[in-house]
């Protein structure tokens, strides 16, 4: 693919993670299986700690909201191996977390618990954040050109910082100016991008958003942001209309900022 120029008015780059800075396979084949494999152990170990209690409280609030909205929820079956109230409560939390993950939900409650679980895995060296090879050189180049760089991902801010803080390239958090997650709003809601621009302190037109998901691109575009769709191995196939509508890159190295050295 050819070089893509982004507008000279761009002062800020807003980056998605999964399928944009990081392979989808890292999330689906490493991060998510870690949660499924260690969930019961983690909850049993940390159940009485304040942080875990807060995570469980948020999950219960999400369940209540789902019931109010008449959304489907996991069905709890009688398990004869569960003997205590704590074991029952842990099993119900597990059922809900695994159900949300199977449905590929992006709830803040789910993402917060996942972030706390991944923290121990990253800090112990069991997991290192994967980043495409073109990302770090491009971040450095953009910073040298005076651009700010922010992350906007459905993963919690804590999970984002862990990925970049314990990456295969080492700690690269100093190349990023800030992070946003779904606590600011869903990524497919145009209002979320308005709030991000307000939080950064610029106009939406001053931001270029990079993502692999066209529904997110559409929402950002509706709010006035410039958008570039990133095409990486394993990402969802684009329609012909999407390919003709959006600027596409397969590598960050293809991006050039007009009027900057």
């Amino acid at each position: 693919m050819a070089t893509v120029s982004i507008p000279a008015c761009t002062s800020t780059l807003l980056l998605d993670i999964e399928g944009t800075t990081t392979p989808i396979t890292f999330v689906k084949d490493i991060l998510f299986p870690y949660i499924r494999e260690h969930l019961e152990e983690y909850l049993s170990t940390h159940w009485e700690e304040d942080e875990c209690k807060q995570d469980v409280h948020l999950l219960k609030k999400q369940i209540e909201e789902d019931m109010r909205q008449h959304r489907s929820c996991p069905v709890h079956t009688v398990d004869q191996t569960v003997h205590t109230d704590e074991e029952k409560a842990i099993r119900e939390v597990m059922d809900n977390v695994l159900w949300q993950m199977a449905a590929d939900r992006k709830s803040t409650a789910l993402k917060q618990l996942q972030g706390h679980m991944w923290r121990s895995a990253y800090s112990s060296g069991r997991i290192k954040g994967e980043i495409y090879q073109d990302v770090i050189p491009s971040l450095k180049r953009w910073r040298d050109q005076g651009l700010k760089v922010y992350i906007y991902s459905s993963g919690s801010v804590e999970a984002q910082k862990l990925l970049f803080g314990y990456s295969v390239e080492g700690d690269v958090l100093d190349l990023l100016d800030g992070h946003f997650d779904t606590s600011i709003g869903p990524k497919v809601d145009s209002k979320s991008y308005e709030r991000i621009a307000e939080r950064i302190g610029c106009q939406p037109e001053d931001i270029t958003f990079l993502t692999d998901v066209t529904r997110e691109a559409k929402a950002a575009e509706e709010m006035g942001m410039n958008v570039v769709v990133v095409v990486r191995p394993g990402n969802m196939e684009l329609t012909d209309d999407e390919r003709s509508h959006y600027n596409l890159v397969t590598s960050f190295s293809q991006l050039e900022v007009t009027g900057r050295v």
Side-chain angles (χ1 to χ4, degrees):
M1 291 187 181
T3 296
V4 171
S5 295
I6 57 179
C9 65
T10 296
S11 63
T12 302
L13 290 163
L14 183 65
L15 312 179
D16 169 51
I17 291 181
E18 184 181 351
T20 299
T21 67
T22 296
I24 284 179
T25 52
F26 174 67
V27 177
K28 296 191 181 304
D29 297 343
I30 296 177
L31 290 185
F32 286 171
Y34 180 87
I35 299 295
R36 287 190 287 267
E37 292 165 14
H38 296 87
L39 181 58
E40 184 171 13
E41 173 194 355
Y42 179 87
L43 290 172
S44 298
T45 301
H46 300 282
W47 189 253
E48 293 299 329
E49 297 174 9
D50 288 344
E51 183 175 82
C52 188
K53 287 180 179 179
Q54 183 188 27
D55 293 343
V56 171
H57 176 69
L58 278 181
L59 285 165
K60 288 181 176 178
K61 286 181 65 177
Q62 181 65 56
I63 292 170
E64 292 169 1
E65 177 63 21
D66 288 340
M67 292 178 69
R68 278 197 297 270
Q69 299 292 333
H70 303 292
R71 300 189 186 108
S72 59
C73 290
V75 176
H76 300 297
T77 56
V78 176
D79 187 340
Q80 298 299 334
T81 66
V82 174
H83 301 293
T84 69
D85 289 342
E86 180 177 305
E87 288 175 331
K88 180 183 178 183
I90 288 173
R91 189 58 55 88
E92 289 180 353
V93 170
M94 286 179 60
D95 287 348
N96 184 265
V97 168
L98 296 175
W99 170 75
Q100 288 200 57
M101 291 179 66
D104 196 27
R105 297 191 69 186
K106 312 291 187 184
S107 73
T108 299
L110 173 65
K111 295 302 179 181
Q112 179 170 300
L113 173 64
Q114 289 174 329
H116 292 155
M117 288 186 64
W118 287 324
R119 179 177 58 202
S120 62
Y122 278 112
S123 61
S124 65
R126 283 178 286 177
I127 292 177
K128 287 188 180 294
E130 293 185 19
I131 302 174
Y132 284 113
Q133 289 186 347
D134 56 275
V135 172
I136 301 305
S138 297
L139 293 180
K140 291 178 178 177
R141 174 166 55 90
W142 296 334
R143 293 298 293 264
D144 288 344
Q145 293 174 323
L147 295 170
K148 293 183 177 180
V149 182
Y150 288 82
I151 299 292
Y152 181 29
S153 172
S154 58
S156 67
V157 166
E158 178 164 17
Q160 298 172 31
K161 290 181 177 180
L162 289 168
L163 192 155
F164 290 102
Y166 294 93
S167 82
V168 292
E169 301 283 348
D171 184 350
V172 296
L173 284 170
D174 60 344
L175 297 176
L176 302 171
D177 291 280
H179 303 259
F180 299 98
D181 59 21
T182 53
S183 64
I184 203 159
K187 296 182 72 181
V188 295
D189 183 349
S190 61
K191 288 291 185 181
S192 302
Y193 298 89
E194 181 180 43
R195 287 190 284 269
I196 285 174
E198 289 173 354
R199 189 77 60 85
I200 292 172
C202 64
Q203 296 299 313
E205 294 79 9
D206 300 332
I207 299 174
T208 292
F209 178 47
L210 276 65
T211 181
D212 64 305
V213 179
T214 53
R215 287 180 66 208
E216 298 172 1
K218 182 175 184 289
E221 195 173 46
E222 287 174 351
M223 194 46 64
M225 288 188 184
N226 183 55
V227 170
V228 176
V229 172
V230 182
V231 180
R232 302 281 199 184
N235 288 4
M236 187 175 292
E237 286 292 326
L238 302 177
T239 66
D240 290 341
D241 286 346
E242 289 168 341
R243 287 184 170 275
S244 63
H245 179 77
Y246 293 107
N247 285 319
L248 309 178
V249 296
T250 58
S251 167
F252 285 5
S253 61
Q254 293 170 250
L255 286 171
E256 288 188 356
V257 186
T258 307
R260 292 178 185 264
V261 178

